[in-house]
Amino acid sequence: MRADRVFAYGAAAGLLGDLLLGDPRRGHPVAVFGRAAGAVERVLWRDHRGWGALHAVVCAGGAVALGAVAARAVRTSPAASVALTGAATWAVVGGTSLAREARAVGRALEAGDVEGARARLPHLCGRDPQALDADGIARAVVESVAENTSDAVVGALVWGAVGGVPGLLGFRAVNTLDAMVGHKSLRHRRFGWASARLDDVAGWPGARVTAVLAAVAGEDLRGAVRAWRADAAKHPSPNAGPVEASFAGALGVRLGGTLSYAGRVEHRPVLNDGGRSVEVGDIERAVRLSRRVGWLALGVSAAGALLRERVARRPAPQAVPTLPHSRLRSSGGTPIALRNDCPQRCRRRSGRVS
């Protein structure tokens, strides 16, 4: 079975598995990787960018190597290759958990339980929930759904289409490292620099695909495109900006503004300034949009894998062999004289000048 079909079937099976099963409560592969990366950090940590880069290479490179070894081990069996791709996809995507946590916060807000919503918010993002009222919590959830649609679903599928199982595992490893050490705390300001920059690079294509698909699948295509073009570059994150701006325009809401992380207040630019304030009901709308984007991303990534396979199988153009002029012969066996090599206009085969 061709590699593009292996990816398409396996990725579809993995997304279905995530939809039906969600993430396991214990022993999740990403959590296992996180514990291993934490152990490596304890050994390598220095307040230095170089040591942080080594940490990123060891952890992300190890995940890619593991995926490559596993894929090579099953390459002769199409069924095993599809199963491995499905298992890897299920392990790295997190659309169901994202939707479940967002809806849990939404239900708490609908019931008037702001404290309960604050208690659930850290499952989605790292903001200070105590600094947020009900509308602020709803806005934080919508922004988190938008950003994590790219990080937890689309980006993984894009890299899976490019690199198969190694691409799936490598992207999730890079994204996890950024969440662990890529933030600007005193401990990780230098050590996590490489992980943060690597995540920016790895997340670039998935973020743009997510922004496009959110505009297509949303309720306001023109509004999404307008917000993306006008406001994405204002966001401090090169990847969250296009995604959140496109979601804001597609949903007709206003995102961004003042927020707080770990006691640090940030004043971010407003995205889609012409939209209305986020309401509790917009959480469900954002979740549904995220679902549509995820399934569209499966189709786009499968098509990308097909295109990649066709390009790889295209035969290289054959070079035409050339011979020195002295070895070129006419049908009579005599050397063919080129017009530029002789002052006469032409020569007959007998050699007489015409």
Side-chain angles (χ1 to χ4, degrees):
M1 185 182 295
R2 293 185 341 203
D4 55 338
R5 295 181 180 178
V6 168
F7 171 76
Y9 297 154
L15 281 186
L16 284 173
D18 177 64
L19 179 64
L20 297 174
L21 304 175
D23 294 330
R25 298 293 183 180
R26 295 181 180 179
H28 194 290
V30 175
V32 174
F33 171 81
R35 289 194 291 271
V40 175
E41 179 187 352
R42 288 191 291 273
V43 174
L44 296 180
W45 187 88
R46 306 289 190 281
D47 190 18
H48 190 276
R49 287 184 175 182
W51 285 93
L54 178 61
H55 175 258
V57 169
V58 169
C59 295
V64 172
L66 177 63
V69 169
R72 184 176 180 82
V74 301
R75 70 186 186 281
T76 58
S77 171
S81 297
V82 171
L84 176 64
T85 304
T89 302
W90 167 79
V92 303
V93 301
T96 295
S97 294
L98 174 63
R100 182 175 58 237
E101 293 298 333
R103 284 169 170 157
V105 177
R107 286 193 299 268
L109 290 176
E110 289 174 352
D113 184 9
V114 178
E115 288 301 321
R118 287 172 177 159
R120 297 287 304 204
L121 187 61
H123 293 267
L124 277 172
C125 59
R127 300 186 189 182
D128 294 334
Q130 300 304 319
L132 299 173
D133 57 9
D135 290 342
I137 293 173
R139 190 192 78 195
V141 172
V142 171
E143 291 174 353
S144 181
V145 168
E147 184 175 1
N148 282 291
T149 299
S150 176
D151 290 343
V153 182
V154 181
L157 292 175
V158 168
W159 280 102
V162 173
V165 172
L168 288 166
L169 300 187
F171 175 79
R172 175 53 58 213
V174 170
N175 191 250
T176 303
L177 288 175
D178 178 60
M180 294 178 63
V181 303
H183 44 83
K184 296 180 180 179
S185 65
L186 291 177
R187 175 178 175 85
H188 295 130
R189 187 178 300 274
R190 294 186 181 87
F191 185 82
W193 178 86
S195 293
R197 298 292 78 75
L198 185 60
D199 182 67
D200 288 342
V201 173
W204 195 94
R208 273 72 193 169
V209 173
T210 304
V212 170
L213 296 181
V216 171
E219 303 167 10
D220 187 352
L221 172 61
R222 292 184 178 180
V225 173
R226 183 170 56 250
W228 179 5
R229 294 180 61 183
D231 300 328
K234 301 175 184 177
H235 198 285
S237 169
N239 296 329
V243 174
E244 291 186 17
S246 186
F247 262 72
L251 296 172
V253 298
R254 187 170 60 250
L255 300 178
T258 302
L259 49 87
S260 176
Y261 281 102
R264 185 181 68 255
V265 176
E266 294 185 12
H267 300 282
R268 292 186 177 177
V270 174
L271 307 177
N272 193 35
D273 192 34
R276 58 174 174 79
S277 299
V278 177
E279 300 172 353
V280 175
D282 294 318
I283 293 177
E284 180 62 27
R285 296 175 63 225
V287 169
R288 291 178 179 176
L289 177 58
S290 174
R291 284 290 195 194
R292 294 194 296 271
V293 168
W295 287 108
L296 285 174
L298 173 63
V300 170
S301 59
L306 173 62
L307 178 61
R308 175 179 59 83
E309 188 70 13
R310 286 188 175 182
V311 171
R313 288 174 175 269
R314 182 179 298 172
Q318 298 294 324
V320 178
T322 58
L323 295 174
H325 170 63
S326 62
R327 296 188 61 187
L328 293 175
R329 299 282 174 176
S330 68
S331 59
T334 58
I336 299 175
L338 299 181
R339 187 173 294 177
N340 292 337
D341 295 336
C342 182
Q344 292 83 3
R345 294 181 60 188
C346 63
R347 292 180 182 273
R348 297 183 182 273
R349 290 183 180 178
S350 62
R352 291 177 301 173
V353 179
S354 58

